[in-house]
Amino acid sequence: MKRSDGNHLMAMNHRAKYAKKLFNPATIATAIDAVAMEGHRQYRVVQELPFDLSDTAEAKALEEWLKAERFPYTWRPRYLEQDAFRPSIVTEHPELVISW
């Protein structure tokens, strides 16, 4: 295995762990209940790291749970501006928005 292959595996492993923590259905259900009690009609799963996690197994499992519970959802692009002085440097990644 080459070094780049090992680095790729480390990055993918870290992303999978982050997605598992972020897209836990029990955590999402608790968060939805909390914001619904405050009168909100949607919940955005906020990612601290700008990764595209929409194709992970954890995200797909959460999508299945959302479908089973009849929550409409969408993946919206989120733009992370890295440098205010050079606005052309923008990172785009999708974030999950759940409605009811």
Side-chain angles (χ1 to χ4, degrees):
M1 176 185 294
K2 298 289 183 186
R3 185 175 192 93
S4 64
D5 295 333
N7 289 347
H8 178 77
L9 287 174
M10 285 188 284
M12 296 309 292
N13 192 21
H14 180 75
R15 289 177 184 215
K17 287 179 185 176
Y18 183 57
K20 184 175 183 178
K21 181 179 109 178
L22 190 65
F23 299 131
N24 181 343
T27 304
I28 297 295
T30 302
I32 288 172
D33 290 345
V35 297
M37 282 197 256
E38 294 175 357
H40 298 281
R41 300 277 322 265
Q42 70 177 15
Y43 176 72
R44 181 171 58 99
V45 180
V46 178
Q47 295 180 210
E48 296 174 10
L49 304 172
F51 300 144
D52 181 358
L53 302 174
S54 61
D55 286 331
T56 61
E58 292 78 8
K60 299 295 182 193
L62 179 59
E63 287 178 350
E64 290 302 316
W65 180 82
L66 291 170
K67 287 176 189 172
E69 297 295 324
R70 291 195 196 164
F71 283 107
Y73 66 91
T74 185
W75 289 93
R76 290 191 183 158
R78 177 169 185 260
Y79 300 96
L80 177 66
E81 189 174 313
Q82 295 178 345
D83 189 346
F85 299 106
R86 294 178 288 175
S88 62
I89 300 176
V90 175
T91 301
E92 177 187 346
H93 65 279
E95 281 192 333
L96 183 63
V97 178
I98 305 164
S99 306
W100 52 90

